[in-house]
Every structure is written in structure tokens, then in C-alpha cells.
């Protein structure tokens, strides 16, 4: 058997094996019926990390009392016929969390918020600015993370980096944003790469077929997490066959199907 025929036979075997893939490798949460939430995680609250970009605004019915804390970029200018006009709306300044977990806030200076939840961050800033606000003034602080992004890559339909507009996201939501895993993705070896405090990464594998992932500390994603879905063996073997061989395999498969149909019709 020459090399070309061997390639066709190999391709046909891959098609057969792929089409007969084990159904148990595909569904999520296969043990969901007997699953009981361990309740160890409780309600999840995201925490502030270095390199986070925050928007912080101090609200009050007495705007003048908190104006000094709401630093804004200058409004853009437009010069037309020797006239200067403003247009658009000013942007609230962003605050970058440094490697020590600090931000440089107007009037107050350095405030350490690393490792705090959003609610705790709001409370700490409120306490820090209290001495600079007239007593009896009602005010509140609102903090949002502007660069909460997760990257999903590998055997998914739409690999990409996604910006999350809420303060929490699960691995299921990230996979959904990427169009879910393809049939060639390994459900039992979904990797989550997470940056830790010293700038290095830790890698953890999740078995999406097991409902116990709901109790995993990696079920909720953090800022700049990377989700990678490994290809299964069928996909790897399929890529080794090559495009030309796959086309020949499809042609041979179609020819066999047509021949079988004609045989039945003319019989």
C-alpha cells in the first residue's frame, strides 16, 4: 500500500473514530443529579488586584462638598471661526492600582485597597475622605473595575479577550461568550491560568463534566484570567492528516455513499 492510500485509510479511520466519539466525554455536569453544594464558597465578591484600572466617583446631593474628589479630564475643545466651544462630556479620571495595592486619590493621597472587595473599597475611601467633608453631608462612594477582562482560547468557537461589565463572571459565562467549546474540546481538562501576587501564573484544570466545579475557587474568574481548552486526540490526528487528504477522504466517502445508493436503486 503506497503512502497516498495509507493517508486515505488513516483519514477514513479518523472520520469513523470522530463520528463514534464517546458521548460521555461531551455533556457538562454529568453527576448533577446526586450533587450537593458543599457551601464552602458562599457568595462571591471580587477583590481589587494590582494593575486594576478603577473608576471612582463620590456622590452627594451637595455637589460642591465632594467636587474636589471627582477629578475630571478637561473637556475637549473645538475652535471654529475664532470661537472656542466645548462639546461632549468630561471623563472621570481612572485610578491605576500599583503593585503595592495603592491608588493616589485627590486630596487624601495614597489609599491602600489591594485585596479589598468593591464594597470594602468604597467604605475605606469614604472613611479616608470624611475629615475633608463638612459634617452632616450625606455622600457615598462608587467604585467600578474598568479593565475586568478574561481571555478564552483553544477549542472554542470564538476565541477572544472579553471585557466583563459586571463585578463577577464564571467560567461557564466566559465559555458562553466564546460560543462554547467545540466537539473537539477536552471537557475534562479546561485550564485556567491566573496571575498571582508576585506576577507569576498558576495553572489549574477543571473537569466541566463534574458538577463539583461549582465549588472550585476557579469557578469564578478573576481579572485577566486565561481560559484554555485543549483539543482532544481526534482533533490532533485530524490536523496531522492535512487539508488535501481530508478533501480526498470526503470525496471517497461521498463516492461510497453514492455507490451504495445507486446499488440499492438499481438492485
Amino acid at each position: 500500500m503506497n503512502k497516498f492510500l495509507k493517508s486515505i485509510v488513516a483519514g477514513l479511520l479518523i472520520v469513523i473514530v470522530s463520528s463514534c466519539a464517546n458521548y460521555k466525554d461531551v455533556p457538562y455536569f454529568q453527576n448533577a443529579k446526586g450533587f450537593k453544594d458543599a457551601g464552602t464558597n458562599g457568595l462571591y465578591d471580587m477583590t481589587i488586584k494590582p494593575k486594576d484600572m478603577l473608576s471612582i466617583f463620590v456622590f452627594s446631593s451637595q455637589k460642591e462638598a465632594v467636587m474636589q474628589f471627582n477629578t475630571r479630564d478637561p473637556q475637549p475643545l473645538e475652535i471654529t471661526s475664532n470661537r472656542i466651544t466645548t462639546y461632549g462630556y468630561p471623563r472621570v479620571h481612572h485610578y491605576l492600582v500599583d503593585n503595592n495595592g495603592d491608588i493616589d486619590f485627590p486630596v487624601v493621597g495614597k489609599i491602600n485597597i489591594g485585596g479589598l472587595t468593591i464594597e470594602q473599597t468604597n467604605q475605606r475611601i469614604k472613611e479616608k475622605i470624611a475629615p475633608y467633608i463638612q459634617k452632616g453631608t450625606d455622600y457615598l462612594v462608587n467604585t467600578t473595575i474598568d479593565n475586568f477582562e478574561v481571555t478564552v482560547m483553544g477549542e472554542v468557537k470564538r476565541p477572544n479577550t472579553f471585557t466583563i461589565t459586571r463585578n463577577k463572571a464564571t467560567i461557564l459565562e466566559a465559555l458562553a461568550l466564546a460560543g462554547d467549546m467545540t466537539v473537539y474540546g477536552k471537557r475534562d481538562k479546561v485550564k485556567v491560568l491566573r496571575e498571582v501576587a508576585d506576577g507569576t501564573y498558576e495553572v489549574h484544570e477543571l473537569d466541566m463534566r463534574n458538577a463539583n466545579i461549582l465549588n472550585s475557587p476557579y469557578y469564578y474568574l478573576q481579572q485577566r484570567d486565561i481560559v484554555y481548552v485543549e483539543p482532544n486526540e481526534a482533533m490532533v490526528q485530524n490536523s496531522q492528516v492535512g487539508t488535501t487528504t481530508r478533501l480526498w477522504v470526503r470525496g471517497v466517502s461521498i463516492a461510497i455513499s453514492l455507490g451504495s445508493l445507486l446499488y440499492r436503486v438499481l438492485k
Side-chain angles (χ1 to χ4, degrees), residues 51-96:
K51 307 305 181 186
D52 281 347
M53 189 70 71
L54 309 178
S55 287
I56 304 174
F57 196 84
V58 183
F59 292 91
S60 175
S61 58
Q62 300 171 267
K63 295 182 180 180
E64 294 77 9
V66 298
M67 186 180 299
Q68 58 186 331
F69 304 109
N70 294 326
T71 305
R72 294 172 177 265
D73 292 330
Q75 290 182 325
L77 300 179
E78 180 180 19
I79 302 177
T80 305
S81 301
N82 297 324
R83 296 178 58 188
I84 300 178
T85 58
T86 61
Y87 64 94
Y89 295 93
R91 294 184 304 167
V92 176
H93 252 315
H94 290 149
Y95 298 88
L96 178 66

Side-chain angles (χ1 to χ4, degrees), residues 141-177:
V141 179
N142 182 65
T143 302
T144 57
I145 301 176
D146 292 336
N147 63 337
F148 181 12
E149 297 178 337
V150 296
T151 299
V152 186
M153 55 192 298
E155 279 302 319
V156 292
K157 294 177 182 177
R158 296 188 298 272
N160 207 339
T161 297
F162 302 96
T163 299
I164 309 299
T165 56
R166 300 183 295 122
N167 283 332
K168 70 176 183 178
T170 68
I171 189 170
L172 293 175
E173 291 170 323
L175 289 172
L177 288 172

Side-chain angles (χ1 to χ4, degrees), residues 10-236:
L12 285 171
L13 288 174
I14 290 171
V15 171
I16 293 171
V17 171
S18 299
S19 62
C20 299
N22 192 342
Y23 174 76
K24 291 183 179 180
D25 291 335
V26 178
Y28 298 163
F29 308 125
Q30 294 178 26
N31 61 333
K33 187 175 181 180
F35 170 74
K36 291 184 179 180
D37 185 5
T40 55
N41 289 339
L43 294 175
Y44 175 79
D45 287 312
M46 176 183 291
T47 57
I48 303 295
K49 299 173 65 175
K51 307 305 181 186
D52 281 347
M53 189 70 71
L54 309 178
S55 287
I56 304 174
F57 196 84
V58 183
F59 292 91
S60 175
S61 58
Q62 300 171 267
K63 295 182 180 180
E64 294 77 9
V66 298
M67 186 180 299
Q68 58 186 331
F69 304 109
N70 294 326
T71 305
R72 294 172 177 265
D73 292 330
Q75 290 182 325
L77 300 179
E78 180 180 19
I79 302 177
T80 305
S81 301
N82 297 324
R83 296 178 58 188
I84 300 178
T85 58
T86 61
Y87 64 94
Y89 295 93
R91 294 184 304 167
V92 176
H93 252 315
H94 290 149
Y95 298 88
L96 178 66
V97 182
D98 64 22
N99 291 337
N100 297 318
D102 296 332
I103 58 170
D104 192 5
F105 203 68
V107 182
V108 179
K110 295 284 186 180
I111 303 178
N112 186 268
I113 57 174
L116 301 183
T117 65
I118 297 296
E119 183 177 354
Q120 291 170 338
T121 298
N122 291 337
Q123 184 60 34
R124 176 161 296 183
I125 295 174
K126 187 173 181 180
E127 292 171 355
K128 291 291 185 180
I129 65 177
Y132 304 93
I133 297 179
Q134 184 177 357
K135 291 184 178 181
T137 301
D138 291 328
Y139 65 97
L140 59 87
V141 179
N142 182 65
T143 302
T144 57
I145 301 176
D146 292 336
N147 63 337
F148 181 12
E149 297 178 337
V150 296
T151 299
V152 186
M153 55 192 298
E155 279 302 319
V156 292
K157 294 177 182 177
R158 296 188 298 272
N160 207 339
T161 297
F162 302 96
T163 299
I164 309 299
T165 56
R166 300 183 295 122
N167 283 332
K168 70 176 183 178
T170 68
I171 189 170
L172 293 175
E173 291 170 323
L175 289 172
L177 288 172
D180 204 358
M181 285 184 274
T182 69
V183 71
Y184 296 109
K186 282 188 177 181
R187 268 70 174 162
D188 61 332
K189 290 186 178 180
V190 177
K191 291 181 171 60
V192 178
L193 287 73
R194 176 166 296 170
E195 186 178 8
V196 293
D198 62 358
T200 60
Y201 277 87
E202 58 183 13
V203 182
H204 187 79
E205 286 187 350
L206 293 176
D207 185 351
M208 304 302 295
R209 304 169 307 173
N210 191 335
N212 287 314
I213 65 167
L214 298 175
N215 292 321
S216 169
Y218 291 85
Y219 176 68
Y220 284 100
L221 298 179
Q222 296 182 9
Q223 304 92 304
R224 298 172 293 285
D225 275 358
I226 299 173
V227 178
Y228 173 67
V229 180
E230 280 191 33
N232 59 24
E233 293 179 3
M235 182 60 182
V236 174

